[in-house]
Amino acid sequence: MQKQLLDWYSQNHRNLPWRQTKDPYMIWVSEVMLQQTQVNTVIPYYLNFINHFPDVISLADADSQQVLKLWEGLGYYSRARNLHKAAKIILETYTGQIPKDPYLFIGLPGVGQYIMAAVQSIAFNHSLAVVDGNVKRVLARFCMEKYPVNSHNAHDYYSKIAYPYLHTQEPGTYNQAIMELGALICKPKKPNCNQCPIMDECKAFANGQVEHYPFREPKKTVPTHDLVCAIIFKNTKILIVQRKLTGFLGGLWEFPSYTTKTNKNKLHEIHESQEFYQENIQNKNEEYLKNQLYTNLNIKVSINQFLCRVKHAYTHFKILMDVYRCTYMSGKIMLNEFTDYRWIEIHELHQFPLPKSNHKCIPALKAYMDI
Ligand code: SF4
């Protein structure tokens, strides 16, 4: 199985930018970006990031806002913050050298079992088996293993299965090969078994059971959170606030927004009429938004108009956000739940890292302003 896989990989692997190097820093950056994100999305981000920060030292010296700005749109911003923190630790503690010892490496912020195994095997040839979604799927089919690949113990469970197959002379290449097989051939839907280099030994294929594997636990329903959001004008400037540096979307800038108790989805399903919406939701939203801005930021605003409704899905929940164009009236801004604020011109928005949900407001804002 190992030989077939390595031979297939040498002939068929994609020429991705991070595969042209053995530099642990570049491999690390690529693996961090590739977690939860598709290869085609990652490529331009990776190239841009490496262009700005070609090594650990330049990343350690960088401004955190610049790091977040280069990550903007990739999501899972804690990855960027942890990478940045880890670079600083490497500079201070390991004289700028990425630790070759896996146990030291895994002690860095954001480095878990997957990143450790990927970086240490590819860059330093350590015999560590990588287990990601692709690997779990290949192994579940290859071994006809029923353990659900999305259960919370799946990583440990499939690690035990993965190790006996690891090619100990070329662990990095083997790890990349099995992941590549999952990405190109043993795909989640309609795997190309007829082109698969390990078909002869695959149990699911031999038993005609490929479509039944891998097993998964049923998905939990994803909740929807309703938010109201204010784009507040003071003459030509608009207000943006910075989220706390840790936690969800930490360090990013946004238009102030607040979670409401209204479930617009349900109300819309029951009462589709515009009148009902105006009376029962929009008015309440506007009052609520004004109250929140006063309570949390100490400013009074008037609400001029409803601008747009933004839908956005994160991994564990969705948001439905009603966005209002507001005018600043009075009050000196006080920061309770945010760490900073700015009044900026619209054309300066691109200088700040914003969550995707906020980017989705900008076309409606520009249309309103006719720019
Ligand atoms: S034969 Fe099919 S199911 Fe088995 S490993 Fe190959 S692609 Fe996957």
Side-chain angles (χ1 to χ4, degrees):
M1 180 264 207
Q2 294 170 331
K3 185 176 179 327
Q4 280 100 310
L5 201 50
L6 289 176
D7 287 350
W8 171 83
Y9 182 73
S10 72
Q11 300 291 318
N12 296 284
H13 70 264
R14 291 166 293 178
N15 262 333
L16 302 171
W18 46 88
R19 288 189 176 150
Q20 326 292 333
T21 177
K22 284 278 181 189
D23 182 325
Y25 168 74
M26 294 188 186
I27 292 163
W28 182 20
V29 171
S30 71
E31 292 296 347
V32 172
M33 287 187 170
L34 285 164
Q35 282 196 307
Q36 319 276 357
T37 313
Q38 302 209 334
V39 167
N40 287 342
T41 308
V42 165
I43 291 172
Y45 279 92
Y46 169 82
L47 293 172
N48 197 23
F49 198 89
I50 292 296
N51 193 26
H52 280 81
F53 310 126
D55 49 36
V56 172
I57 295 168
S58 54
L59 178 59
D61 287 340
D63 177 70
S64 62
Q65 286 297 293
Q66 196 191 359
V67 176
L68 282 176
K69 185 68 197 166
L70 291 177
W71 208 272
E72 187 184 41
L74 262 187
Y76 302 97
Y77 295 91
S78 59
R79 295 181 298 176
R81 294 195 304 272
N82 281 332
L83 192 61
H84 191 203
K85 269 191 232 162
K88 286 177 187 287
I89 293 171
I90 290 171
L91 183 59
E92 285 160 16
T93 313
Y94 303 113
T95 61
Q97 302 295 312
I98 292 178
K100 284 187 183 176
D101 180 337
Y103 294 101
L104 294 180
F105 186 59
I106 204 171
L108 294 168
V111 179
Q113 294 288 341
Y114 170 79
I115 294 284
M116 176 185 77
V119 175
Q120 294 282 325
S121 67
I122 298 168
F124 302 127
N125 225 33
H126 282 304
S127 292
L128 294 163
V130 156
V131 176
D132 71 346
N134 282 325
V135 174
K136 282 186 281 186
R137 185 172 60 257
V138 171
L139 291 175
R141 288 170 175 163
F142 189 75
C143 305
M144 274 180 74
E145 178 53 63
K146 288 192 168 69
Y147 198 85
V149 288
N150 60 339
S151 92
H152 76 283
N153 283 329
H155 182 275
D156 291 350
Y157 190 90
Y158 280 95
S159 286
K160 289 190 187 117
I161 296 172
Y163 266 96
Y165 292 107
L166 182 67
H167 193 289
T168 49
Q169 276 80 49
E170 295 184 68
T173 313
Y174 171 85
N175 280 332
Q176 291 182 88
I178 192 165
M179 288 193 281
E180 193 77 336
L181 187 79
L184 300 183
I185 302 286
C186 195
K187 295 181 287 190
K189 288 183 186 149
K190 296 193 181 152
N192 302 330
C193 296
N194 291 330
Q195 294 170 24
C196 177
I198 56 172
M199 179 181 76
D200 289 348
E201 294 168 77
C202 176
K203 282 192 184 168
F205 183 76
N207 288 282
Q209 295 289 312
V210 171
E211 69 274 22
H212 298 303
Y213 288 83
F215 281 50
R216 303 186 72 84
E217 285 179 347
K219 271 190 185 164
K220 294 187 187 101
T221 47
V222 178
T224 298
H225 299 316
D226 290 322
L227 280 84
V228 281
C229 172
I231 301 184
I232 306 167
F233 278 76
K234 188 168 154 188
N235 301 320
T236 59
K237 298 200 167 180
I238 52 175
L239 177 68
I240 55 170
V241 288
Q242 188 182 26
R243 296 175 69 95
K244 291 222 161 85
L245 299 179
T246 52
F248 184 62
L249 303 176
L252 267 66
W253 294 78
E254 63 182 14
F255 306 119
S257 64
Y258 302 96
T259 307
T260 71
K261 302 270 185 295
T262 331
N263 190 328
K264 298 185 203 92
N265 270 336
K266 276 198 184 137
L267 285 168
H268 260 293
E269 276 164 25
I270 304 164
H271 304 280
E272 295 245 304
S273 80
Q274 186 64 20
E275 291 80 353
F276 181 89
Y277 179 73
Q278 287 300 122
E279 260 176 51
N280 290 279
I281 304 176
Q282 191 144 344
N283 292 346
K284 277 186 193 157
N285 273 352
E286 292 182 8
E287 276 315 300
Y288 180 77
L289 183 55
K290 282 200 262 187
N291 283 339
Q292 289 294 316
L293 289 166
Y294 185 60
T295 312
N296 293 300
L297 281 171
N298 192 42
I299 53 171
K300 288 191 174 170
V301 302
S302 63
I303 294 186
N304 309 111
Q305 91 173 71
F306 171 77
L307 270 183
C308 62
R309 171 169 290 175
V310 168
K311 291 181 185 174
H312 191 66
Y314 295 100
T315 312
H316 300 297
F317 62 92
K318 296 178 190 166
I319 62 163
L320 198 59
M321 183 167 79
D322 283 355
V323 185
Y324 294 87
R325 196 260 192 224
C326 311
T327 301
Y328 167 83
M329 292 171 68
S330 63
K332 185 173 174 347
I333 290 182
M334 289 192 336
L335 295 167
N336 294 321
E337 60 188 299
F338 300 108
T339 54
D340 203 355
Y341 73 95
R342 297 268 198 290
W343 290 101
I344 60 164
E345 300 288 347
I346 288 189
H347 65 81
E348 293 173 313
L349 263 177
H350 73 278
Q351 297 169 17
F352 296 84
L354 306 176
K356 260 197 180 155
S357 59
N358 276 229
H359 274 286
K360 290 182 178 177
C361 309
I362 294 173
L365 177 63
K366 287 191 169 168
Y368 171 81
M369 298 184 70
D370 203 16
I371 51 176

